[in-house]
Amino acid sequence: AAAGSTVELGCSARGDPAPQVQWHKEHGDLPWGRHEVDREHTLRLYAVTPADAGAYVCTAQSQLGTAAATTFLHV
C-alpha cells in the first residue's frame, strides 16, 4: 500500500450461531484513531504509514470454536 492511502482488509466469517469477529495486529496495536471495522468485518486503516506494516489477524469465535486468518500489509 502507498503511504497515506486507505487500506481495506476483508474477513469473511459465517456460522450459526454467528461468530464474534475481532481484528488485531500481530506485533503492536491497531493504529489509534485511524481504523474502523464495519458490519462485514472489513478492517479499514486510514492514512497508513510504514509503522502500520505487518501482520493483521482476523479471529472469529463462537461456542463451536475459533478460526483465525492472517494477512500481511506492506507500506
Side-chain angles (χ1 to χ4, degrees):
S5 67
T6 296
V7 174
E8 293 187 354
L9 304 176
C11 180
S12 178
R14 295 181 186 86
D16 187 16
Q20 291 209 308
V21 175
Q22 293 185 315
W23 278 96
H24 72 273
K25 190 173 179 189
E26 200 165 64
H27 300 289
D29 297 320
L30 293 174
W32 191 83
R34 295 186 296 111
H35 79 276
E36 71 177 3
V37 179
D38 68 18
R39 287 178 178 236
E40 286 77 42
H41 314 301
T42 299
L43 172 64
R44 264 184 211 83
L45 304 172
Y46 298 101
V48 295
T49 69
D52 296 326
Y56 289 81
V57 182
C58 170
T59 303
Q61 184 172 7
S62 76
Q63 59 199 35
L64 300 177
T66 301
T70 303
T71 189
F72 294 91
L73 174 64
H74 301 277
V75 180

